[in-house]
Amino acid sequence: MTGCQVWSTILLVAFVLWKTIASANTNVAQTSVNDGDGKLLEQSNKYIYSWTGPNALARSALMERQERLQYNCELESNEMDIEALNPDLFRNILVDDSHELLYCYVPKVACTNWKRVLMIATGKWPGNDPLEIPADQAHSPGNFQRLNSYTPPEIENKLATYNKLIVVRHPLERLLSAYRNKLEAKHEKSAKYFQSRFGKKIVKKYRQNATEESLRNGDDVTFREFVDFVTDNSENGTRNEHWRPIYELCQPCIVNYNFVSKYESLVEDATEVLERIGVTSISFPPKPPSNEPTSKKLDRYYSTLSYKQLRKLADLYKLDLRLFDYSLEDVLGFSLA
């Protein structure tokens, strides 16, 4: 970022802070009562967010990403199929009425921990440690209402008045994370399901001279075979939410997300979001320590792919790349003409 860009960002944040603090002061005055001794007491049922907290960089980044997403959606409007309000479009958006928050969960982008945090925030789990909640319980379908379960007028009202959160990740990093977790992992319950449902089909279709053991177990799918599967237009592989494009899951050009968090700054963004919605007693879990996270393995896996395969991936995830300001060069070290 150049010096001019830095100063522009600082000035923008300063202006917004000034306007918001002025507005917040007015709101505080309107929600205060007199205790009889001339002292003003704030009503305790409304959390008052302070814009003067220490998380200024995350706050600035969230504002900038929201504006950038809106701008990118305008640029892409001719390519995207913007449908009329169809409830089925919003099945991945969870509703937290108590904090007036809509959260679009994206598998392989910290959705387990976000669901854990919201379970505690909404009183569905006692205690304040999200990591105490088993992962399978966090994904239980009965934990949250989905936006698509409401009537169209209710959906419109919530889209217009609630805060809206989306957490994104580079699509190629997210894809590799899905492969490693669901098809490459051994002896894990979740992986066994995916290997049985998808792995056996992938081996059968994309591997010549497959052994009987591989056809029976589906637990040795290569990354090349997996990429062939998810980019095959004749298959339904790309429909699974673990590698389906984010723009299809979350409809970012229909839903005006004001919280656009990125996996790269996950904890900092989450801290700001939680404070903004009045959840100050829960700390978002840090990323688990790892000797070699997915981001460090990208070259090893993607270097095994052909140009044709990379081209198909670029096409599959082109809108995720454009809308959320990611590039193939971030992963491949070069662009595809």
Side-chain angles (χ1 to χ4, degrees):
M1 181 179 288
T2 66
C4 290
Q5 290 173 315
V6 171
W7 274 110
S8 297
T9 300
I10 291 173
L11 290 173
L12 174 63
V13 173
F15 175 75
V16 173
L17 290 179
W18 176 79
K19 293 283 287 184
T20 309
I21 290 170
S23 175
N25 288 339
T26 301
N27 292 337
V28 169
Q30 292 173 343
T31 58
S32 300
V33 294
N34 196 296
D35 70 348
D37 296 321
K39 298 177 183 178
L40 291 177
L41 301 177
E42 289 182 24
Q43 293 179 354
S44 59
N45 64 342
K46 182 73 173 177
Y47 175 81
I48 304 300
Y49 170 74
S50 171
W51 282 82
T52 59
N55 213 22
L57 287 178
R59 188 175 309 128
S60 173
L62 288 169
M63 291 167 51
E64 185 177 345
R65 289 183 204 134
Q66 179 189 10
E67 294 176 358
R68 190 68 183 173
L69 177 58
Q70 292 173 342
Y71 175 75
N72 288 339
C73 282
E74 291 175 5
L75 293 179
E76 302 296 336
S77 60
N78 290 333
E79 281 194 42
M80 300 188 66
D81 182 17
I82 305 298
E83 302 182 46
L85 191 64
N86 177 359
D88 290 340
L89 297 174
F90 308 120
R91 70 173 311 277
N92 271 56
I93 299 181
L94 308 181
V95 180
D96 173 3
D97 284 314
S98 59
H99 300 97
E100 297 187 343
L101 177 71
L102 304 178
Y103 163 56
C104 186
Y105 75 89
V106 179
K108 308 314 302 172
V109 195
C111 70
T112 302
N113 281 342
W114 260 112
K115 288 179 179 179
R116 285 167 165 159
V117 166
L118 292 177
M119 283 180 67
I120 295 175
T122 54
K124 295 178 175 65
W125 181 270
N128 287 322
D129 184 1
L131 296 180
E132 290 180 350
I133 304 175
D136 57 351
Q137 192 160 342
H139 295 299
S140 175
N143 286 334
F144 300 98
Q145 284 283 94
R146 294 172 184 257
L147 189 58
N148 67 329
S149 67
Y150 293 84
T151 65
E154 289 173 326
I155 292 173
E156 286 192 53
N157 178 261
K158 293 180 190 298
L159 287 174
T161 60
Y162 282 18
N163 284 305
K164 295 164 285 287
L165 168 65
I166 183 175
V167 188
V168 300
R169 186 178 189 179
H170 194 295
L172 297 193
E173 184 178 330
R174 175 174 168 246
L175 180 70
L176 178 56
S177 178
Y179 166 74
R180 292 179 61 211
N181 181 243
K182 302 303 182 185
L183 288 164
E184 187 181 55
K186 303 290 185 182
H187 313 301
E188 293 185 18
K189 182 179 179 180
S190 174
K192 286 294 183 184
Y193 168 78
F194 276 80
Q195 289 159 2
S196 176
R197 181 179 177 185
F198 296 108
K200 291 189 286 187
K201 181 193 293 187
I202 293 172
V203 170
K204 182 178 180 180
K205 181 165 184 179
Y206 301 101
R207 185 181 304 177
Q208 295 182 352
N209 302 318
T211 65
E212 287 298 322
E213 183 179 4
S214 294
L215 291 168
R216 183 173 60 253
N217 298 325
D219 62 354
D220 62 350
V221 172
T222 68
F223 188 56
R224 287 176 60 90
E225 292 167 341
F226 176 64
V227 169
D228 281 338
F229 174 65
V230 300
T231 57
D232 189 339
N233 291 331
S234 68
E235 290 286 349
N236 290 324
T238 56
R239 299 307 94 193
N240 185 272
E241 64 178 14
H242 285 81
W243 47 81
R244 189 176 179 184
I246 295 175
Y247 82 89
E248 291 184 6
L249 296 175
C250 296
Q251 305 299 324
C253 292
I254 298 176
V255 180
N256 182 18
Y257 291 98
N258 59 314
F259 296 143
V260 182
S261 174
K262 288 202 169 186
Y263 190 75
E264 303 92 273
S265 54
L266 179 64
V267 176
E268 297 87 347
D269 294 345
T271 301
E272 175 65 15
V273 170
L274 290 172
E275 186 178 350
R276 289 272 286 277
I277 66 173
V279 179
T280 58
S281 61
I282 307 170
S283 295
F284 195 88
K287 294 179 184 178
S290 173
N291 293 329
E292 196 173 16
T294 298
S295 60
K296 301 296 184 182
K297 295 177 179 282
L298 292 168
D299 182 65
R300 182 192 311 172
Y301 286 83
Y302 281 97
S303 63
T304 68
L305 303 183
S306 67
Y307 178 85
K308 183 178 180 181
Q309 288 176 307
L310 293 173
R311 183 72 268 169
K312 286 185 175 182
L313 285 176
D315 186 60
L316 174 62
Y317 292 114
K318 65 180 179 180
L319 285 175
D320 280 5
L321 290 163
R322 294 177 190 170
L323 293 176
F324 304 115
D325 288 322
Y326 289 114
S327 99
L328 291 176
E329 293 182 63
D330 298 336
V331 170
L332 305 178
F334 58 89
S335 61
L336 299 176

